[in-house]
Short mmCIF file of all heavy atoms in Angstrom, two decimals:
data_model
loop_
_atom_site.label_atom_id
_atom_site.label_comp_id
_atom_site.label_asym_id
_atom_site.label_seq_id
_atom_site.Cartn_x
_atom_site.Cartn_y
_atom_site.Cartn_z
N MET A 1 39.00 7.38 32.67
CA MET A 1 40.15 6.79 32.00
C MET A 1 40.06 7.08 30.50
O MET A 1 39.01 6.94 29.89
CB MET A 1 40.21 5.29 32.26
CG MET A 1 41.35 4.61 31.57
SD MET A 1 41.29 2.85 31.86
CE MET A 1 42.99 2.56 32.12
N ALA A 2 41.15 7.47 29.92
CA ALA A 2 41.19 7.82 28.51
C ALA A 2 41.14 6.58 27.64
O ALA A 2 41.71 5.54 27.97
CB ALA A 2 42.46 8.60 28.21
N LYS A 3 40.44 6.69 26.53
CA LYS A 3 40.40 5.59 25.56
C LYS A 3 41.63 5.69 24.67
O LYS A 3 41.92 6.73 24.11
CB LYS A 3 39.14 5.68 24.72
CG LYS A 3 37.91 5.39 25.51
CD LYS A 3 36.97 4.64 24.64
CE LYS A 3 35.79 4.24 25.48
NZ LYS A 3 35.31 2.97 25.16
N LEU A 4 42.34 4.59 24.55
CA LEU A 4 43.55 4.56 23.75
C LEU A 4 43.37 3.73 22.48
O LEU A 4 44.35 3.37 21.83
CB LEU A 4 44.72 4.03 24.59
CG LEU A 4 45.03 4.86 25.84
CD1 LEU A 4 46.16 4.23 26.63
CD2 LEU A 4 45.37 6.29 25.47
N THR A 5 42.11 3.47 22.12
CA THR A 5 41.82 2.74 20.89
C THR A 5 42.35 3.53 19.70
O THR A 5 42.11 4.73 19.60
CB THR A 5 40.30 2.53 20.74
OG1 THR A 5 39.82 1.86 21.91
CG2 THR A 5 39.97 1.70 19.52
N GLY A 6 43.08 2.88 18.85
CA GLY A 6 43.64 3.53 17.67
C GLY A 6 44.99 4.17 17.91
O GLY A 6 45.56 4.78 17.02
N ALA A 7 45.50 4.03 19.12
CA ALA A 7 46.81 4.62 19.44
C ALA A 7 47.90 3.96 18.60
O ALA A 7 47.93 2.74 18.46
CB ALA A 7 47.12 4.46 20.92
N ARG A 8 48.78 4.77 18.05
CA ARG A 8 49.96 4.26 17.33
C ARG A 8 51.16 4.53 18.23
O ARG A 8 51.61 5.68 18.36
CB ARG A 8 50.10 4.96 15.99
CG ARG A 8 49.04 4.53 15.00
CD ARG A 8 49.29 5.05 13.59
NE ARG A 8 49.51 6.48 13.53
CZ ARG A 8 48.59 7.39 13.21
NH1 ARG A 8 47.37 7.00 12.92
NH2 ARG A 8 48.90 8.67 13.18
N TRP A 9 51.65 3.48 18.85
CA TRP A 9 52.74 3.60 19.81
C TRP A 9 54.08 3.60 19.10
O TRP A 9 54.28 2.89 18.12
CB TRP A 9 52.68 2.43 20.80
CG TRP A 9 51.46 2.46 21.66
CD1 TRP A 9 50.30 1.80 21.43
CD2 TRP A 9 51.28 3.20 22.85
NE1 TRP A 9 49.41 2.07 22.42
CE2 TRP A 9 49.98 2.93 23.32
CE3 TRP A 9 52.08 4.06 23.60
CZ2 TRP A 9 49.47 3.49 24.48
CZ3 TRP A 9 51.58 4.62 24.76
CH2 TRP A 9 50.29 4.34 25.18
N ARG A 10 55.02 4.37 19.63
CA ARG A 10 56.39 4.38 19.12
C ARG A 10 57.33 4.44 20.32
O ARG A 10 57.00 4.99 21.36
CB ARG A 10 56.63 5.56 18.18
CG ARG A 10 56.44 6.91 18.86
CD ARG A 10 56.68 8.05 17.88
NE ARG A 10 56.27 9.30 18.46
CZ ARG A 10 56.95 10.01 19.34
NH1 ARG A 10 58.11 9.56 19.79
NH2 ARG A 10 56.50 11.15 19.81
N LYS A 11 58.48 3.85 20.14
CA LYS A 11 59.49 3.87 21.20
C LYS A 11 60.03 5.28 21.35
O LYS A 11 60.32 5.95 20.36
CB LYS A 11 60.63 2.91 20.85
CG LYS A 11 61.69 2.81 21.91
CD LYS A 11 62.75 1.81 21.47
CE LYS A 11 63.95 1.89 22.37
NZ LYS A 11 65.04 1.06 21.92
N SER A 12 60.17 5.72 22.56
CA SER A 12 60.73 7.04 22.81
C SER A 12 62.15 7.13 22.25
O SER A 12 62.95 6.20 22.41
CB SER A 12 60.76 7.31 24.31
OG SER A 12 61.53 8.46 24.60
N THR A 13 62.49 8.24 21.63
CA THR A 13 63.84 8.43 21.11
C THR A 13 64.85 8.53 22.24
O THR A 13 66.04 8.33 22.04
CB THR A 13 63.92 9.70 20.24
OG1 THR A 13 63.49 10.82 21.01
CG2 THR A 13 63.05 9.56 19.00
N ARG A 14 64.41 8.83 23.45
CA ARG A 14 65.30 8.94 24.61
C ARG A 14 65.53 7.61 25.32
O ARG A 14 66.33 7.54 26.24
CB ARG A 14 64.73 9.95 25.61
CG ARG A 14 64.50 11.32 25.02
CD ARG A 14 65.76 11.95 24.57
NE ARG A 14 66.23 12.88 25.57
CZ ARG A 14 67.36 13.50 25.52
NH1 ARG A 14 68.15 13.33 24.49
NH2 ARG A 14 67.71 14.32 26.46
N SER A 15 64.82 6.55 24.90
CA SER A 15 64.97 5.26 25.56
C SER A 15 66.31 4.61 25.26
O SER A 15 66.89 3.95 26.09
CB SER A 15 63.84 4.31 25.16
OG SER A 15 62.64 4.74 25.73
N GLY A 16 66.79 4.76 24.03
CA GLY A 16 68.08 4.19 23.67
C GLY A 16 68.07 2.68 23.69
O GLY A 16 67.03 2.04 23.64
N ASP A 17 69.25 2.09 23.78
CA ASP A 17 69.41 0.65 23.80
C ASP A 17 69.94 0.26 25.17
O ASP A 17 71.12 0.01 25.35
CB ASP A 17 70.37 0.21 22.70
CG ASP A 17 70.47 -1.30 22.59
OD1 ASP A 17 69.52 -1.99 23.01
OD2 ASP A 17 71.50 -1.78 22.10
N ASN A 18 69.06 0.22 26.16
CA ASN A 18 69.50 0.00 27.53
C ASN A 18 68.88 -1.24 28.16
O ASN A 18 68.42 -1.20 29.29
CB ASN A 18 69.21 1.25 28.38
CG ASN A 18 67.76 1.68 28.29
OD1 ASN A 18 66.92 0.95 27.79
ND2 ASN A 18 67.46 2.87 28.75
N GLY A 19 68.87 -2.31 27.42
CA GLY A 19 68.42 -3.58 27.98
C GLY A 19 66.93 -3.71 28.18
O GLY A 19 66.48 -4.43 29.05
N GLY A 20 66.13 -3.01 27.39
CA GLY A 20 64.69 -3.17 27.48
C GLY A 20 64.00 -2.19 28.40
O GLY A 20 62.80 -2.26 28.56
N ASN A 21 64.72 -1.28 29.01
CA ASN A 21 64.10 -0.26 29.86
C ASN A 21 63.64 0.89 28.99
O ASN A 21 64.31 1.91 28.89
CB ASN A 21 65.07 0.23 30.93
CG ASN A 21 65.43 -0.87 31.89
OD1 ASN A 21 64.58 -1.67 32.26
ND2 ASN A 21 66.67 -0.94 32.29
N CYS A 22 62.51 0.70 28.33
CA CYS A 22 62.05 1.67 27.35
C CYS A 22 60.63 2.12 27.64
O CYS A 22 59.84 1.39 28.23
CB CYS A 22 62.05 1.05 25.95
SG CYS A 22 63.65 0.41 25.45
N VAL A 23 60.31 3.30 27.17
CA VAL A 23 58.94 3.77 27.20
C VAL A 23 58.48 3.97 25.78
O VAL A 23 59.27 4.20 24.87
CB VAL A 23 58.77 5.07 28.01
CG1 VAL A 23 59.09 4.84 29.47
CG2 VAL A 23 59.59 6.19 27.44
N GLU A 24 57.17 3.84 25.59
CA GLU A 24 56.54 4.09 24.31
C GLU A 24 55.59 5.27 24.48
O GLU A 24 54.99 5.44 25.55
CB GLU A 24 55.78 2.87 23.82
CG GLU A 24 56.67 1.71 23.48
CD GLU A 24 55.91 0.47 23.07
OE1 GLU A 24 54.84 0.19 23.65
OE2 GLU A 24 56.39 -0.22 22.17
N VAL A 25 55.45 6.04 23.42
CA VAL A 25 54.61 7.23 23.45
C VAL A 25 53.65 7.17 22.27
O VAL A 25 54.00 6.68 21.20
CB VAL A 25 55.49 8.50 23.31
CG1 VAL A 25 54.65 9.76 23.26
CG2 VAL A 25 56.50 8.58 24.43
N THR A 26 52.44 7.65 22.47
CA THR A 26 51.51 7.85 21.38
C THR A 26 51.02 9.28 21.44
O THR A 26 50.70 9.78 22.51
CB THR A 26 50.32 6.86 21.40
OG1 THR A 26 49.53 7.07 20.23
CG2 THR A 26 49.47 6.98 22.63
N ASP A 27 51.04 9.94 20.29
CA ASP A 27 50.56 11.32 20.25
C ASP A 27 49.65 11.55 19.05
O ASP A 27 49.47 12.66 18.60
CB ASP A 27 51.73 12.31 20.25
CG ASP A 27 52.71 12.08 19.12
OD1 ASP A 27 52.45 11.22 18.25
OD2 ASP A 27 53.75 12.75 19.10
N ASN A 28 49.05 10.46 18.55
CA ASN A 28 48.16 10.58 17.40
C ASN A 28 46.69 10.71 17.79
O ASN A 28 45.84 10.81 16.91
CB ASN A 28 48.34 9.38 16.46
CG ASN A 28 47.80 8.09 17.05
OD1 ASN A 28 48.26 7.63 18.09
ND2 ASN A 28 46.83 7.49 16.39
N LEU A 29 46.39 10.74 19.07
CA LEU A 29 45.00 10.86 19.52
C LEU A 29 44.71 12.32 19.86
O LEU A 29 45.51 12.97 20.53
CB LEU A 29 44.76 9.96 20.73
CG LEU A 29 45.05 8.47 20.50
CD1 LEU A 29 44.94 7.71 21.81
CD2 LEU A 29 44.11 7.90 19.46
N PRO A 30 43.58 12.85 19.41
CA PRO A 30 43.27 14.26 19.65
C PRO A 30 43.23 14.60 21.14
O PRO A 30 42.56 13.93 21.93
CB PRO A 30 41.88 14.43 19.03
CG PRO A 30 41.70 13.28 18.11
CD PRO A 30 42.53 12.16 18.66
N GLY A 31 43.99 15.62 21.53
CA GLY A 31 43.95 16.12 22.90
C GLY A 31 44.59 15.23 23.94
O GLY A 31 44.34 15.40 25.13
N LEU A 32 45.43 14.27 23.51
CA LEU A 32 45.96 13.29 24.46
C LEU A 32 47.34 12.82 24.04
O LEU A 32 47.59 12.55 22.86
CB LEU A 32 45.02 12.08 24.50
CG LEU A 32 45.37 10.94 25.42
CD1 LEU A 32 45.14 11.34 26.87
CD2 LEU A 32 44.53 9.73 25.09
N VAL A 33 48.23 12.71 25.01
CA VAL A 33 49.52 12.05 24.82
C VAL A 33 49.59 10.97 25.90
O VAL A 33 49.29 11.23 27.07
CB VAL A 33 50.70 13.04 24.99
CG1 VAL A 33 52.03 12.30 24.89
CG2 VAL A 33 50.63 14.14 23.94
N ALA A 34 49.94 9.75 25.51
CA ALA A 34 50.01 8.64 26.46
C ALA A 34 51.41 8.03 26.44
O ALA A 34 52.08 8.02 25.41
CB ALA A 34 48.97 7.58 26.14
N VAL A 35 51.82 7.53 27.60
CA VAL A 35 53.14 6.92 27.77
C VAL A 35 52.95 5.60 28.49
O VAL A 35 52.17 5.51 29.44
CB VAL A 35 54.06 7.85 28.61
CG1 VAL A 35 55.45 7.25 28.76
CG2 VAL A 35 54.13 9.24 28.01
N ARG A 36 53.67 4.57 28.04
CA ARG A 36 53.58 3.26 28.70
C ARG A 36 54.94 2.58 28.69
O ARG A 36 55.85 2.95 27.96
CB ARG A 36 52.56 2.37 28.00
CG ARG A 36 53.00 1.90 26.62
CD ARG A 36 51.95 1.05 25.96
NE ARG A 36 52.40 0.58 24.65
CZ ARG A 36 51.67 -0.10 23.80
NH1 ARG A 36 50.41 -0.39 24.12
NH2 ARG A 36 52.16 -0.49 22.64
N ASP A 37 55.05 1.55 29.52
CA ASP A 37 56.25 0.72 29.60
C ASP A 37 56.23 -0.25 28.42
O ASP A 37 55.27 -1.02 28.26
CB ASP A 37 56.23 -0.04 30.92
CG ASP A 37 57.45 -0.91 31.15
OD1 ASP A 37 58.23 -1.17 30.20
OD2 ASP A 37 57.64 -1.35 32.30
N SER A 38 57.27 -0.24 27.61
CA SER A 38 57.29 -1.10 26.43
C SER A 38 57.30 -2.58 26.78
O SER A 38 56.90 -3.41 25.96
CB SER A 38 58.49 -0.78 25.54
OG SER A 38 59.69 -1.07 26.21
N LYS A 39 57.74 -2.93 27.98
CA LYS A 39 57.76 -4.34 28.39
C LYS A 39 56.38 -4.82 28.81
O LYS A 39 56.16 -6.02 28.98
CB LYS A 39 58.75 -4.54 29.54
CG LYS A 39 60.20 -4.30 29.16
CD LYS A 39 61.16 -4.53 30.32
CE LYS A 39 60.92 -3.74 31.56
NZ LYS A 39 60.94 -2.29 31.49
N ASP A 40 55.43 -3.90 29.01
CA ASP A 40 54.09 -4.26 29.47
C ASP A 40 53.05 -3.50 28.65
O ASP A 40 52.33 -2.64 29.18
CB ASP A 40 53.95 -3.93 30.96
CG ASP A 40 52.66 -4.43 31.56
OD1 ASP A 40 51.96 -5.24 30.92
OD2 ASP A 40 52.35 -4.01 32.68
N PRO A 41 52.95 -3.79 27.35
CA PRO A 41 52.05 -3.02 26.50
C PRO A 41 50.57 -3.14 26.88
O PRO A 41 49.78 -2.25 26.55
CB PRO A 41 52.30 -3.56 25.09
CG PRO A 41 52.99 -4.85 25.27
CD PRO A 41 53.69 -4.80 26.59
N ALA A 42 50.19 -4.18 27.57
CA ALA A 42 48.80 -4.33 28.00
C ALA A 42 48.57 -3.67 29.37
O ALA A 42 47.44 -3.60 29.85
CB ALA A 42 48.42 -5.80 28.07
N GLY A 43 49.64 -3.20 29.98
CA GLY A 43 49.53 -2.58 31.30
C GLY A 43 49.05 -1.14 31.23
O GLY A 43 48.60 -0.67 30.19
N PRO A 44 49.16 -0.45 32.34
CA PRO A 44 48.64 0.91 32.41
C PRO A 44 49.48 1.90 31.59
O PRO A 44 50.64 1.65 31.29
CB PRO A 44 48.75 1.25 33.90
CG PRO A 44 49.84 0.37 34.41
CD PRO A 44 49.77 -0.90 33.59
N ALA A 45 48.85 3.00 31.25
CA ALA A 45 49.52 4.09 30.54
C ALA A 45 49.23 5.38 31.28
O ALA A 45 48.14 5.57 31.83
CB ALA A 45 49.02 4.18 29.10
N LEU A 46 50.21 6.24 31.33
CA LEU A 46 50.01 7.58 31.87
C LEU A 46 49.53 8.46 30.73
O LEU A 46 50.03 8.37 29.61
CB LEU A 46 51.33 8.15 32.41
CG LEU A 46 51.97 7.39 33.57
CD1 LEU A 46 53.34 7.99 33.88
CD2 LEU A 46 51.07 7.46 34.79
N THR A 47 48.57 9.32 31.01
CA THR A 47 48.05 10.20 29.97
C THR A 47 48.24 11.66 30.38
O THR A 47 48.18 12.00 31.57
CB THR A 47 46.57 9.93 29.69
OG1 THR A 47 45.81 10.08 30.88
CG2 THR A 47 46.36 8.54 29.11
N PHE A 48 48.49 12.47 29.38
CA PHE A 48 48.75 13.90 29.57
C PHE A 48 48.00 14.70 28.51
O PHE A 48 47.77 14.20 27.41
CB PHE A 48 50.25 14.19 29.38
CG PHE A 48 51.16 13.43 30.28
CD1 PHE A 48 51.63 12.17 29.92
CD2 PHE A 48 51.57 13.96 31.49
CE1 PHE A 48 52.48 11.47 30.75
CE2 PHE A 48 52.42 13.26 32.33
CZ PHE A 48 52.87 12.01 31.96
N THR A 49 47.72 15.95 28.82
CA THR A 49 47.28 16.85 27.76
C THR A 49 48.51 17.18 26.93
O THR A 49 49.64 17.09 27.43
CB THR A 49 46.69 18.15 28.33
OG1 THR A 49 47.72 18.88 29.00
CG2 THR A 49 45.51 17.88 29.26
N PRO A 50 48.33 17.57 25.68
CA PRO A 50 49.50 17.95 24.88
C PRO A 50 50.32 19.08 25.51
O PRO A 50 51.55 19.05 25.45
CB PRO A 50 48.90 18.36 23.54
CG PRO A 50 47.65 17.54 23.44
CD PRO A 50 47.12 17.51 24.85
N VAL A 51 49.67 20.04 26.14
CA VAL A 51 50.40 21.14 26.78
C VAL A 51 51.23 20.63 27.96
O VAL A 51 52.39 20.98 28.11
CB VAL A 51 49.42 22.25 27.24
CG1 VAL A 51 50.12 23.28 28.12
CG2 VAL A 51 48.78 22.92 26.04
N ALA A 52 50.64 19.77 28.78
CA ALA A 52 51.38 19.21 29.92
C ALA A 52 52.56 18.38 29.44
O ALA A 52 53.66 18.44 30.01
CB ALA A 52 50.45 18.36 30.79
N TRP A 53 52.38 17.60 28.37
CA TRP A 53 53.47 16.79 27.83
C TRP A 53 54.59 17.67 27.31
O TRP A 53 55.76 17.42 27.57
CB TRP A 53 52.96 15.85 26.74
CG TRP A 53 54.03 14.99 26.17
CD1 TRP A 53 54.58 15.08 24.93
CD2 TRP A 53 54.73 13.93 26.83
NE1 TRP A 53 55.56 14.13 24.77
CE2 TRP A 53 55.67 13.42 25.92
CE3 TRP A 53 54.64 13.37 28.09
CZ2 TRP A 53 56.52 12.36 26.25
CZ3 TRP A 53 55.49 12.31 28.41
CH2 TRP A 53 56.41 11.82 27.50
N THR A 54 54.25 18.71 26.57
CA THR A 54 55.25 19.63 26.05
C THR A 54 56.04 20.28 27.19
O THR A 54 57.27 20.38 27.12
CB THR A 54 54.59 20.72 25.18
OG1 THR A 54 53.95 20.07 24.06
CG2 THR A 54 55.60 21.74 24.67
N ASN A 55 55.34 20.69 28.23
CA ASN A 55 56.03 21.28 29.39
C ASN A 55 56.95 20.28 30.07
O ASN A 55 58.06 20.63 30.47
CB ASN A 55 55.01 21.83 30.39
CG ASN A 55 54.29 23.05 29.87
OD1 ASN A 55 54.77 23.75 28.98
ND2 ASN A 55 53.12 23.31 30.42
N PHE A 56 56.52 19.03 30.19
CA PHE A 56 57.35 17.98 30.78
C PHE A 56 58.61 17.76 29.94
O PHE A 56 59.73 17.71 30.48
CB PHE A 56 56.55 16.68 30.89
CG PHE A 56 57.38 15.50 31.27
CD1 PHE A 56 57.80 15.31 32.58
CD2 PHE A 56 57.75 14.56 30.32
CE1 PHE A 56 58.59 14.22 32.93
CE2 PHE A 56 58.53 13.46 30.66
CZ PHE A 56 58.94 13.30 31.97
N VAL A 57 58.45 17.64 28.63
CA VAL A 57 59.60 17.41 27.76
C VAL A 57 60.58 18.58 27.84
O VAL A 57 61.79 18.39 27.96
CB VAL A 57 59.15 17.14 26.31
CG1 VAL A 57 60.32 17.13 25.35
CG2 VAL A 57 58.39 15.83 26.23
N ARG A 58 60.07 19.80 27.81
CA ARG A 58 60.94 20.99 27.92
C ARG A 58 61.70 20.98 29.24
O ARG A 58 62.89 21.29 29.27
CB ARG A 58 60.12 22.26 27.82
CG ARG A 58 59.75 22.62 26.43
CD ARG A 58 59.06 23.98 26.39
NE ARG A 58 58.54 24.23 25.07
CZ ARG A 58 57.43 24.88 24.82
NH1 ARG A 58 56.71 25.37 25.81
NH2 ARG A 58 57.03 25.06 23.59
N ALA A 59 61.01 20.67 30.32
CA ALA A 59 61.65 20.66 31.64
C ALA A 59 62.74 19.61 31.73
O ALA A 59 63.83 19.87 32.26
CB ALA A 59 60.62 20.46 32.74
N THR A 60 62.48 18.43 31.18
CA THR A 60 63.50 17.37 31.26
C THR A 60 64.69 17.69 30.36
O THR A 60 65.83 17.40 30.73
CB THR A 60 62.92 15.99 30.90
OG1 THR A 60 62.33 16.03 29.61
CG2 THR A 60 61.91 15.54 31.93
N ARG A 61 64.45 18.29 29.22
CA ARG A 61 65.55 18.67 28.34
C ARG A 61 66.43 19.73 28.97
O ARG A 61 67.63 19.77 28.73
CB ARG A 61 65.02 19.16 27.00
CG ARG A 61 64.56 18.06 26.11
CD ARG A 61 64.12 18.58 24.77
NE ARG A 61 63.71 17.47 23.91
CZ ARG A 61 62.92 17.59 22.89
NH1 ARG A 61 62.41 18.76 22.55
NH2 ARG A 61 62.60 16.53 22.17
N SER A 62 65.84 20.59 29.77
CA SER A 62 66.62 21.65 30.40
C SER A 62 67.23 21.22 31.73
O SER A 62 67.91 22.00 32.38
CB SER A 62 65.77 22.91 30.60
OG SER A 62 64.76 22.66 31.57
N GLY A 63 66.98 19.97 32.13
CA GLY A 63 67.58 19.43 33.34
C GLY A 63 66.80 19.67 34.62
O GLY A 63 67.32 19.48 35.71
N HIS A 64 65.56 20.07 34.52
CA HIS A 64 64.74 20.33 35.73
C HIS A 64 64.01 19.10 36.17
O HIS A 64 63.43 18.37 35.59
CB HIS A 64 63.76 21.46 35.48
CG HIS A 64 64.45 22.76 35.33
ND1 HIS A 64 64.72 23.33 34.13
CD2 HIS A 64 64.98 23.59 36.25
CE1 HIS A 64 65.35 24.47 34.31
NE2 HIS A 64 65.54 24.65 35.59
#
Protein backbone atom coordinates (compact mmCIF):
# COMPACT_ATOMS: atom_id res chain seq x y z
CA MET A 1 0.00 0.00 0.00
CA ALA A 2 1.32 3.42 -0.94
CA LYS A 3 2.07 5.97 1.76
CA LEU A 4 0.03 9.11 1.26
CA THR A 5 1.64 11.10 4.08
CA GLY A 6 2.15 14.66 2.91
CA ALA A 7 -0.40 14.38 0.12
CA ARG A 8 -1.95 17.69 -0.91
CA TRP A 9 -5.43 16.83 -2.11
CA ARG A 10 -7.39 18.97 -4.56
CA LYS A 11 -10.85 18.59 -6.00
CA SER A 12 -10.84 17.31 -9.54
CA THR A 13 -11.64 20.02 -12.09
CA ARG A 14 -14.01 17.51 -13.74
CA SER A 15 -16.09 17.00 -10.58
CA GLY A 16 -18.07 20.20 -11.02
CA ASP A 17 -20.93 21.13 -8.72
CA ASN A 18 -22.99 17.96 -8.73
CA GLY A 19 -24.25 17.55 -5.20
CA GLY A 20 -21.08 16.27 -3.56
CA ASN A 21 -20.21 13.51 -6.04
CA CYS A 22 -16.60 14.58 -6.29
CA VAL A 23 -13.17 13.04 -6.44
CA GLU A 24 -9.96 14.49 -5.10
CA VAL A 25 -6.55 13.98 -6.64
CA THR A 26 -3.03 14.34 -5.29
CA ASP A 27 -0.06 14.46 -7.59
CA ASN A 28 2.59 16.01 -5.35
CA LEU A 29 4.11 12.69 -4.25
CA PRO A 30 7.07 11.35 -6.25
CA GLY A 31 6.08 8.55 -8.62
CA LEU A 32 2.46 8.43 -7.47
CA VAL A 33 -0.95 9.86 -8.30
CA ALA A 34 -3.80 9.07 -5.89
CA VAL A 35 -7.55 9.53 -6.21
CA ARG A 36 -10.18 9.39 -3.46
CA ASP A 37 -13.85 10.12 -2.81
CA SER A 38 -14.13 13.62 -1.37
CA LYS A 39 -17.03 12.51 0.87
CA ASP A 40 -14.77 9.91 2.54
CA PRO A 41 -11.32 11.46 2.94
CA ALA A 42 -10.28 8.84 5.51
CA GLY A 43 -11.39 6.03 3.21
CA PRO A 44 -9.43 4.19 0.56
CA ALA A 45 -7.61 5.83 -2.33
CA LEU A 46 -6.75 4.43 -5.73
CA THR A 47 -3.12 4.88 -6.68
CA PHE A 48 -1.55 5.08 -10.11
CA THR A 49 1.85 5.63 -11.61
CA PRO A 50 2.08 9.03 -13.29
CA VAL A 51 2.22 7.34 -16.72
CA ALA A 52 -0.89 5.26 -16.01
CA TRP A 53 -2.74 8.35 -14.75
CA THR A 54 -1.78 10.36 -17.84
CA ASN A 55 -2.99 7.54 -20.08
CA PHE A 56 -6.28 7.32 -18.15
CA VAL A 57 -6.87 11.08 -18.41
CA ARG A 58 -6.08 11.07 -22.16
CA ALA A 59 -8.43 8.14 -22.75
CA THR A 60 -11.31 9.73 -20.87
CA ARG A 61 -10.84 13.06 -22.62
CA SER A 62 -11.00 11.33 -25.97
CA GLY A 63 -14.16 9.44 -24.98
CA HIS A 64 -12.68 5.95 -24.61
